[in-house]
Amino acid sequence: MDNWYLVYCRPKQELRAQQHLANIGFDSYVPTLLVKKQRARKLVDSKELLFPRYLFLNVDLDSGALPILSVLAAR
């Protein structure tokens, strides 16, 4: 059964946390949104986080979630 949890991250560290979780074998998701921004009088496509400081983590806490503690505690 898929159990998705919301993980609160440090500012601007969502993608870094997602990479660390992937390195130890956990599935996570950071939703992004494609927006157009004006820069130097041009419209430029830019990716922005849909939920800044949050990522979604798919994990079964009953079986081997202990490695997550090292990622969450790492500074």
Side-chain angles (χ1 to χ4, degrees):
M1 182 173 159
D2 285 347
N3 294 316
W4 287 92
Y5 296 92
L6 190 63
V7 178
Y8 185 72
C9 301
R10 290 174 171 227
K12 303 191 186 288
Q13 298 297 313
E14 303 88 355
L15 298 177
R16 183 176 175 200
Q18 183 183 31
Q19 184 60 48
H20 284 296
L21 289 166
N23 288 343
I24 58 175
F26 289 100
D27 185 28
S28 61
Y29 177 64
V30 178
T32 58
L33 185 64
L34 189 62
V35 296
K36 293 188 182 284
K37 289 192 168 191
Q38 188 162 353
R39 293 194 181 149
R41 297 183 184 181
K42 293 192 321 189
L43 283 179
V44 178
D45 290 335
S46 175
K47 277 188 181 180
E48 286 189 2
L49 298 177
L50 192 56
F51 305 109
R53 297 188 74 173
Y54 291 94
L55 65 84
F56 295 92
L57 177 64
N58 183 10
V59 65
D60 182 12
L61 293 180
D62 294 332
S63 62
L66 205 53
I68 295 175
L69 294 177
S70 66
V71 172
L72 298 178
R75 295 185 185 227

